[in-house]
């Protein structure tokens, strides 16, 4: 049932509605003629942002029932809640994945049986990944708690920190992206982007114990690879340096074009790292630094000295960063 959030208009409102409705229909028909789609599942031909959001909220509760589930849920009711919510969420996810696969296939390549089978396989594999996703998120929450002196508990971190909220969405979206539900995954990542200001493409590979402090303005591109125990601060960009085109001038998709960040790296606020460069393990990138080349392990890079290497610092030991 559709919902209309607008109140009833007063009787004296005159907006020439018949003309407006007609002109908007003409505009829609023009667009649909230029971009034909495959409509095999009722009136929709692609996933619904609202329904994907509902699935994501339900999965948040499944992963962390007491803290992100219903307000009156206690530990004695966790298993029942998780089972009931999972059944609903996975069935709803199945419909959205099915819509995506039909949309991608198009009318000419549409095969209902094959799409149904593939959709169920994706959702089943995703469901079986949920315990591993929970374990990864536990490491992220722990990293945030240990890495921020302003945090008082892991519960505060989980409920309040935008970096953790973004990572919950990303861990879910990344697995769906890996399995082939890329549009659904992108919707999930953009829901987090809208809420937190943190833009992580679902294709980005991120290791355990990842911490984004503050977070606003962080951008992590599709082919970025981030190791374990990495920490980023606000406004960090892990982006592409250039966008190769083919012989027809069209952008080439899927090429590795974003940075590789090795283990135990810290990147401070406002740093921009572009291209398929490697930031070596145990390095520190200072605030507002612009990097387009590789950095050796154990380096400290700051504005005052564009590339000052001081050797490898002890693993997991916070270095002192020179003033910029």
């Amino acid at each position: 049932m559709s919902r209309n959030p607008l109140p009833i208009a007063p009787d004296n409102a005159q907006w020439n509605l018949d003309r407006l409705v007609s002109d908007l229909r003409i505009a829609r028909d023009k667009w649909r003629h230029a971009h034909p789609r495959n409509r095999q599942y009722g009136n929709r031909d692609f996933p619904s942002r609202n329904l994907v959001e509902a699935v994501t909220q339900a999965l948040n509760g499944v992963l962390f029932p007491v803290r992100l589930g219903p307000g009156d849920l206690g530990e004695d009711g966790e298993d029942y809640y998780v089972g009931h919510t999972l059944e609903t969420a996975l069935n709803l996810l199945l419909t959205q994945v099915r819509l995506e696969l039909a949309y991608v296939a198009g009318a000419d390549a549409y095969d209902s049986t094959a799409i149904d089978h593939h959709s169920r396989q994706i959702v089943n594999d995703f469901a079986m990944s949920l315990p591993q996703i929970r374990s990864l998120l536990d490491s992220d929450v722990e990293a945030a708690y240990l890495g921020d002196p302003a945090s008082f508990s892991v519960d505060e971190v989980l409920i309040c920190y935008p970096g953790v909220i973004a990572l919950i969405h990303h861990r879910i979206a990344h697995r769906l992206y890996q399995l082939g539900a890329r549009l659904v995954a992108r919707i999930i990542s953009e829901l987090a982007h809208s809420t937190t200001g943190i833009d992580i493409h679902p294709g980005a590979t991120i290791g355990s114990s990842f911490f984004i402090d503050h977070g606003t303005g962080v951008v992590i591109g599709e082919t970025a690879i981030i190791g374990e125990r990495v920490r980023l601060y606000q406004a960090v960009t892990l982006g592409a340096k250039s966008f190769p085109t083919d012989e027809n001038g069209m952008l080439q998709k899927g090429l590795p074009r974003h940075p590789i960040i090795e283990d135990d790296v810290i990147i401070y606020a406002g740093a921009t790292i572009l291209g398929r460069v490697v930031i070596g393990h145990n390095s520190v990138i200072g605030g507002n630094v612009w990097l387009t080349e590789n950095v050796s392990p154990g380096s400290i890079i700051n504005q005052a000295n564009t590339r000052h290497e001081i050797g490898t610092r002890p693993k997991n030991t916070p270095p002192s960063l020179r003033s910029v």
Side-chain angles (χ1 to χ4, degrees):
M1 180 176 65
S2 62
R3 296 178 296 173
N4 185 355
L6 299 175
I8 299 174
D11 294 339
N12 62 353
Q14 300 294 323
W15 306 113
N16 197 6
L17 290 180
D18 289 343
R19 171 68 180 274
L20 285 171
V21 170
S22 176
D23 287 350
L24 286 169
R25 183 180 66 251
I26 291 170
R28 292 195 306 271
D29 289 344
K30 181 179 179 181
W31 175 264
R32 287 168 179 167
H33 178 75
H35 302 275
R37 296 185 180 122
N38 179 32
R39 295 179 180 273
Q40 297 290 341
Y41 289 99
N43 293 323
R44 290 203 63 86
D45 55 3
F46 52 87
S48 160
R49 181 183 174 99
N50 287 340
L51 293 180
V52 171
E53 183 174 14
V55 170
T56 306
Q57 290 177 341
L59 291 172
N60 274 246
V62 165
L63 290 166
F64 298 96
V66 172
R67 287 172 286 181
L68 300 183
D72 59 350
L73 181 65
E75 291 186 10
D76 56 342
E78 281 183 306
D79 284 348
Y80 176 81
Y81 166 78
V82 168
H84 175 76
T85 305
L86 260 181
E87 182 176 21
T88 302
L90 293 176
N91 284 330
L92 188 55
L93 177 61
L94 178 62
T95 65
Q96 301 310 299
V97 172
R98 187 182 288 139
L99 282 166
E100 175 179 343
L101 295 186
Y103 171 76
V104 171
D108 295 337
Y110 179 79
D111 182 333
S112 177
T113 301
I115 286 174
D116 285 346
H117 176 76
H118 191 190
S119 302
R120 291 182 181 278
Q121 188 64 55
I122 287 174
V123 175
N124 181 72
D125 289 348
F126 169 76
M128 299 304 294
S129 301
L130 287 171
Q132 180 185 13
I133 291 173
R134 166 64 200 243
S135 295
L136 279 171
L137 289 169
D138 284 345
S139 76
D140 300 327
V141 170
E142 188 77 9
Y145 172 66
L146 295 175
D148 185 2
S151 64
F152 289 98
S153 69
V154 290
D155 298 303
E156 175 195 8
V157 166
L158 177 60
I159 295 170
C160 301
Y161 280 34
V164 173
I165 294 169
L167 275 174
I168 294 172
H169 283 67
H170 176 72
R171 299 294 189 193
I172 293 170
H174 181 64
R175 185 58 182 143
L176 288 168
Y177 186 91
Q178 287 180 314
L179 293 169
R182 296 192 169 191
L183 179 54
V184 170
R186 189 62 187 269
I187 293 171
I188 293 172
S189 70
E190 291 305 324
L191 289 169
H193 185 192
S194 300
T195 301
T196 66
I198 298 169
D199 183 1
I200 309 176
H201 193 285
T205 301
I206 300 177
S208 62
S209 301
F210 183 54
F211 177 31
I212 303 175
D213 200 358
H214 304 295
T216 305
V218 166
V219 177
I220 301 175
E222 176 189 15
T223 63
I225 300 174
I226 299 175
E228 297 183 348
R229 299 173 299 280
V230 170
R231 186 193 313 173
L232 307 185
Y233 287 81
Q234 67 271 20
V236 167
T237 296
L238 305 180
K241 181 180 178 182
S242 60
F243 303 96
T245 58
D246 61 20
E247 62 275 8
N248 298 316
M250 300 296 291
L251 289 178
Q252 297 184 42
K253 307 287 187 178
L255 296 178
R257 60 195 183 279
H258 300 101
I260 297 172
I261 311 298
E262 294 185 345
D263 297 345
D264 301 294
V265 169
I266 301 173
I267 306 177
Y268 282 97
T272 298
I273 305 173
L274 302 180
R276 195 60 162 185
V277 299
V278 178
I279 307 302
H281 61 83
N282 288 82
S283 291
V284 176
I285 310 301
N288 298 315
V289 167
W290 178 282
L291 274 177
T292 57
E293 58 185 84
N294 294 339
V295 170
S296 300
S299 297
I300 292 182
I301 310 296
N302 56 36
Q303 285 183 322
N305 189 343
T306 305
R307 188 165 185 175
H308 176 64
E309 298 185 5
I310 65 169
T312 304
R313 64 182 171 88
K315 189 174 182 181
N316 297 327
T317 301
S320 58
L321 184 64
R322 288 191 175 187
S323 172
V324 297

